[in-house]
Amino acid sequence: MKKAAIVQFEAVHEEVIPSIDFYLKSVGYNTGSYLNRNIYKRKGDFFRDAGFEKVNYSYVTIEKGSDWAELMETVKGDEGLELLVLNTFQRKSVVNWSLNFDIPVIGIVHNPLLFLAIPDIKNILKANKNIYLLGLAPHVASYLIANIPFMQDRVGFVDPIVWEDSSREDKIRVIDEGNTKRALSIPGSVNFKNRDYAALIEQVHLAKLRGMSSKNIGIRFLGGGKDRADLIDLIQDKGVNEFFDFSEVNEQGFVPYDIYLSDLKNSSFLLPMFKTSDIAYRTYKISSVISSAVGNSIPLLGDSWTNIVYQTSGVVYNTNLLSDKLLEISLLSEEAYLKLCNQAKETKYNWIKRSIAQLEQATSYFESKD
């Protein structure tokens, strides 16, 4: 088999690596991954805790310039390496680092705005035909092409949804006080800028006034974040404490992976809760909520705009009518819920197929240049 190296410079986005690893192996590559050691220091070992035993990875120190140089020598010293994949390919320093290799480079672009703001990036891409870009959703790839149209044949996408398969048949869970309830979760750092928590709390309040019981439904926030304390205050002020819960954080303010993954997999639904006015996650970025839902075959509870963009499985609500769906979900039968789970599994299967096809297209581009 051919050989590829995957590198993650920043201490983020490690959850994408198993998907890249899987897709590369599906198109005939052996892989090895190098990740910033600070990922492990902050949250623990994602690969171990998530069950990715077949991923070949190592944590390396990436802080000083000498660390970057040492990593370059390590990767270059990997005999027979034919492909370099750089996750989070959107900083000038990472792009410049990649130019020191004479093998094909695939850059995974998480934030096109940061990538397109790199000085002289268009000339760099024109001069280096061995660089291929992948977004993490079709709309991200489309945004890249719209802004750098000469790259149309060198842009694609892959869905970061390869997670360990697990049954969804036991997701009416005992959460507290012996009550079984639907467990709705919101992954990600608590940040008022990115999600409409105020609207969620208001809709929970409205559903409570219409008879929704905390014995049947609960909502958990799975991340730390700078606004977590303010969110707790907002929930208390509205008088809906009994519906909400928070995953435990460590001393650094992060939710460790063993806790995060357990709470995630015990979720009945995931909620993106994007603001109605927020175009970022619907035009040029993706959210880990979407990939976590699809990757774990968890139905999504999302607004109509988000559903149009991502075409996921789950329950769709109209703006300002989330309370209706919350009440409905709190009374949802097991048969109806399992039907949603089966649809979610089908979505995951189809997205994996399309991602493998996209990566085949990328590697075929390099082979056509030989």
Side-chain angles (χ1 to χ4, degrees):
M1 294 180 75
K2 293 169 284 188
K3 189 186 292 187
I6 306 169
V7 179
Q8 172 60 49
F9 278 97
E10 299 171 66
V12 290
H13 300 150
E14 62 277 10
E15 75 281 355
V16 172
I17 301 295
S19 298
I20 306 303
D21 181 271
F22 178 84
Y23 299 141
L24 284 168
K25 288 174 179 173
S26 297
V27 298
Y29 283 85
N30 282 324
T31 61
S33 296
Y34 304 88
L35 297 96
N36 190 313
R37 194 181 306 279
N38 286 330
I39 292 171
Y40 179 83
K41 291 179 180 179
R42 290 179 180 179
K43 300 181 184 178
D45 193 332
F46 170 75
F47 303 91
R48 179 198 62 208
D49 293 337
F52 292 113
E53 298 174 355
K54 295 181 180 179
V55 175
N56 177 24
Y57 66 98
S58 59
Y59 292 104
V60 294
T61 300
I62 307 176
E63 294 179 1
K64 308 186 299 291
S66 58
D67 296 330
W68 290 58
E70 183 177 340
L71 179 58
M72 183 184 300
E73 292 306 311
T74 299
V75 175
K76 283 188 172 183
D78 190 354
E79 187 175 352
L81 191 68
E82 297 182 52
L83 177 65
L84 177 63
V85 181
L86 295 173
N87 193 27
T88 320
F89 192 69
Q90 55 205 34
R91 302 285 186 186
K92 184 171 179 60
S93 55
V94 176
V95 172
N96 287 345
W97 191 87
S98 76
L99 299 179
N100 291 282
F101 292 82
D102 58 3
I103 58 175
V105 173
I106 291 179
I108 312 294
V109 180
H110 290 245
N111 187 331
L113 294 190
L114 292 178
F115 177 75
L116 294 169
I118 295 173
D120 209 33
I121 187 61
K122 292 183 179 180
N123 287 330
I124 290 173
L125 293 171
K126 287 177 180 178
N128 292 273
K129 299 285 196 297
N130 68 324
I131 296 177
Y132 197 103
L133 304 177
L134 293 177
L136 294 175
H139 68 273
V140 179
S142 179
Y143 187 90
L144 284 167
I145 293 171
N147 283 275
I148 38 176
F150 65 87
M151 287 288 291
Q152 180 171 339
D153 297 326
R154 287 194 279 153
V155 174
F157 71 91
V158 289
D159 301 294
I161 57 163
V162 176
W163 292 71
E164 181 187 22
D165 283 331
S166 59
S167 171
R168 306 296 312 157
E169 295 179 2
D170 58 351
K171 296 312 175 196
I172 290 184
R173 292 276 178 173
V174 174
I175 294 183
D176 57 13
E177 299 177 359
N179 296 321
T180 58
K181 59 176 75 174
R182 292 292 177 206
L184 281 60
S185 296
I186 304 178
S189 177
V190 177
N191 186 330
F192 282 108
K193 180 181 177 181
N194 295 334
R195 293 191 171 87
D196 202 346
Y197 300 115
L200 171 63
I201 294 166
E202 176 62 28
Q203 293 295 308
V204 169
H205 176 66
L206 291 175
K208 177 183 177 180
L209 293 178
R210 294 170 56 194
M212 186 175 75
S213 171
S214 61
K215 293 182 179 180
N216 298 325
I217 190 169
I219 300 172
R220 174 172 286 162
F221 299 95
L222 305 186
K226 66 183 184 68
D227 293 332
R228 185 161 152 149
D230 290 337
L231 178 58
I232 292 173
D233 290 342
L234 194 62
I235 292 169
Q236 291 175 341
D237 290 345
K238 202 65 180 179
V240 290
N241 306 48
E242 70 270 27
F243 289 97
F244 292 97
D245 189 15
F246 290 79
S247 296
E248 282 184 54
V249 296
N250 59 21
E251 294 178 355
Q252 298 171 281
F254 296 101
V255 177
Y257 267 124
D258 55 347
I259 295 174
Y260 173 80
L261 293 169
S262 176
D263 289 347
L264 175 67
K265 290 181 179 295
N266 286 339
S267 303
S268 308
F269 290 85
L270 295 190
L271 287 74
M273 285 309 303
F274 302 142
K275 292 185 175 181
T276 304
S277 59
D278 186 1
I279 68 169
Y281 291 116
R282 300 176 177 110
T283 55
Y284 62 84
K285 292 175 66 177
I286 73 149
S287 168
S288 61
V289 180
I290 307 296
S291 53
S292 296
V294 176
N296 288 282
S297 302
I298 301 173
L300 202 72
L301 174 57
D303 65 88
S304 53
W305 186 8
T306 301
N307 181 63
I308 288 172
V309 174
Y310 290 95
Q311 292 292 295
T312 54
S313 305
V315 176
V316 180
Y317 63 89
N318 293 328
T319 307
N320 299 324
L321 295 178
L322 175 57
S323 60
D324 292 349
K325 294 302 180 182
L326 291 172
L327 191 57
E328 180 182 310
I329 285 172
S330 73
L331 303 173
L332 195 65
S333 71
E334 189 67 0
E335 181 182 3
Y337 176 68
L338 290 179
K339 183 177 180 180
L340 291 173
C341 290
N342 288 332
Q343 292 171 353
K345 289 179 181 178
E346 186 68 19
T347 297
K348 177 179 180 178
Y349 173 74
N350 289 332
W351 283 25
I352 286 176
K353 283 201 305 182
R354 75 183 190 181
S355 295
I356 292 173
Q358 285 286 313
L359 200 52
E360 283 180 332
Q361 187 170 318
T363 54
S364 294
Y365 163 78
F366 295 125
E367 291 167 3
S368 68
K369 290 175 75 272
D370 292 342

